[in-house]
Amino acid sequence: MITVTLSLDTNAYAIGDVLAATQEVTGYVDVAGSKSFLQSVTVLDADDQKIAMDLVFLSADVALGTENAAPNISDANADNILGIVRIAASDYVDLGGVACATRTGLGLSILAPQGLYIAAITNGAPTHSAAGVKVRLGFVRAL
């Protein structure tokens, strides 16, 4: 399991804003030329906002847009989108001061040495702390 702490703006977001700018995911493959499948995503929301979001997975370090502003990815850069995993507000379980959401059975194929990057779009209007959202990624490695 690989954990990515999303970079976040600490000001209030508007619905549809880039929640987290593009960041690299490392350690998802062992050998160049091997294939991994993203099987699960768990969102740990330490700020207990429970806001729906779209996690955007990309094969290159291209900008989805600026945090806390509308997405503005170019057509050429959009060719690097591998897939989008939607986390609904109803996916969260409230655990007191933290919320957790999990999506399983994804099967998103990723080939090494293809890069893997993650960005996020909010589907609500949260206010987060700087390290308030962590995303845990579960992979299955093909032999």
Side-chain angles (χ1 to χ4, degrees):
M1 180 125 350
I2 295 169
T3 301
V4 178
T5 301
L6 297 182
S7 64
L8 301 170
D9 188 312
T10 57
N11 296 304
Y13 287 83
I15 294 171
D17 279 353
V18 173
L19 177 67
T22 305
Q23 324 180 192
E24 186 173 16
V25 176
T26 59
Y28 64 95
V29 291
D30 293 331
V31 179
S34 67
K35 186 182 280 190
S36 288
F37 296 92
L38 176 63
Q39 286 298 97
S40 65
V41 171
T42 298
V43 176
L44 299 170
D45 179 1
D47 298 322
D48 204 17
Q49 299 285 298
K50 298 180 281 297
I51 300 296
M53 68 179 72
D54 294 325
L55 299 173
V56 181
F57 292 91
L58 304 123
S59 62
D61 188 6
V62 296
L64 182 63
T66 302
E67 289 176 2
N68 214 340
N72 64 353
I73 191 168
S74 70
D75 291 348
N77 286 343
D79 285 341
N80 293 290
I81 296 173
L82 298 171
I84 296 175
V85 175
R86 179 159 280 178
I87 305 296
S90 61
D91 290 335
Y92 287 96
V93 174
D94 192 337
L95 302 171
V98 65
C100 181
T102 301
R103 293 283 316 277
T104 60
L106 301 173
L108 182 62
S109 177
I110 301 157
L111 181 65
Q114 177 182 42
L116 182 59
Y117 299 84
I118 185 173
I121 300 168
T122 183
N123 292 316
T127 302
H128 284 288
S129 60
V133 178
K134 293 180 182 174
V135 180
R136 292 205 171 126
L137 307 171
F139 293 90
V140 174
R141 292 177 173 96
L143 300 175

